């Protein structure tokens, strides 16, 4: 159970960092500084990042077995669900802040 929770935290962390555009900006900086150099595709894809970080986690801390690798693949494929879910939570929180702001102006 602890492994599943840690894999989901890896998933959420990667999705948030990927959505923030960190690796896209880093790739642009590298390409500006050294022409014709760029980040590998592994760093540009949220699914790839989640898969490889999950594999590294399973190798170091968990059961490096066929079911463990299968969990890593499932965790990586869940990024398609986690990205819209993170946007939904962000939009709900922004709407809540907007409503609070309107309510405080009335009072």
């Amino acid at each position: 159970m602890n492994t599943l929770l840690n894999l989901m935290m890896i998933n959420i962390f990667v999705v948030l960092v990927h959505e923030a555009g960190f690796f896209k900006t880093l790739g642009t900086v590298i390409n500006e500084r050294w022409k014709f150099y760029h980040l590998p595709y592994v760093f540009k894809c949220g699914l790839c990042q989640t898969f490889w970080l999950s594999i590294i986690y399973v190798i170091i801390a968990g059961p490096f077995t066929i079911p463990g690798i299968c969990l890593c693949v499932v965790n990586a494929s869940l990024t398609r669900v986690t990205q819209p879910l993170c946007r939904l939570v962000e939009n709900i929180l922004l709407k809540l802040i907007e409503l609070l702001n309107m309510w405080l102006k009335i009072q």
Side-chain angles (χ1 to χ4, degrees):
M1 188 66 178
N2 192 22
T3 304
L4 290 174
L5 185 63
N6 288 338
L7 287 175
M8 285 309 297
M9 285 193 296
I10 289 171
N11 187 335
I12 292 170
F13 175 75
V14 167
V15 165
L16 291 175
V17 169
H18 187 265
E19 286 291 312
F22 174 74
F23 288 104
K24 191 175 196 179
T25 306
L26 184 64
T28 304
V29 168
I30 288 173
N31 194 15
E32 286 175 355
R33 191 164 287 199
W34 299 288
K35 294 294 182 199
F36 306 113
Y37 286 99
H38 58 86
L39 286 177
Y41 186 74
V42 173
F43 292 110
K44 295 180 182 178
C45 173
L47 190 138
C48 298
Q49 291 172 10
T50 304
F51 174 73
W52 287 110
L53 281 176
S54 298
I55 287 289
I56 291 170
Y57 171 76
V58 167
I59 288 172
I60 292 173
F64 188 64
T65 59
I66 298 295
I69 295 171
C70 184
L71 282 175
C72 294
V73 171
V74 169
N75 187 35
S77 67
L78 284 177
T79 56
R80 294 181 188 152
V81 175
T82 310
Q83 285 178 337
L85 188 62
C86 286
R87 284 190 211 118
L88 176 69
V89 169
E90 179 185 8
N91 289 335
I92 289 172
L93 290 174
L94 287 173
K95 190 66 170 176
L96 181 64
I97 290 171
E98 181 183 327
L99 290 173
L100 283 172
N101 193 18
M102 286 175 26
W103 182 70
L104 289 174
K105 285 183 180 179
I106 294 172
Q107 298 294 328

